[in-house]
Amino acid sequence: MAILEILHYPHPILKKKTQLIQKIDPAIRQLIQDMAETMYAAPGVGLAAPQVGQPLRLAVLDVTPANQPKNLVVLINPEIVVTEGECLWEEGCLSVPDYCEEVKRKKKVIVRCQNLEGEKVEVVGDNNLLSIALQHEIDHLDGILFIDRLSKLKRDVFKKRLQKESKEGKKF
Ligand SMILES: [Zn+2]
């Protein structure tokens, strides 16, 4: 097991669409273990493969509260097949440090994916953190960050703040 480096915005790999996993081989299993360890250490509720530099259609998540037993969900080749309703949810991202904002999301999603055994499974998130995490992670696999889903006004504020920080950063 190893803690992997988490890439930050605006790293170009975060913008790339990912490739389907053809075979769940030992290297993929190792990557999943390392991603889970990296996510728990961060700590975060989800982590997608592009965030650790792997352009693969793979993500891990665990939305159980910290004081309860872990429940790792592994999403291999996930696709959202059903959506229902809309909601607003405040999100952050391990690849966009120190920034949170409300994002418009679907209330309910049904995701079809494969589990570690390669079997087809469905994961349902309905008006809860799981629903939002599923949408956020699958966005990562399509090269979309939550800041891409903000209104233009909010996105401009974010980018201005980022520029300001990098300008200030050069003084040191
Ligand atoms: Zn994220």
Side-chain angles (χ1 to χ4, degrees), residues 51 92-95 136-137 140:
Q51 293 180 278
C93 178
L94 294 173
S95 293
H136 182 113
E137 297 315 323
H140 271 302

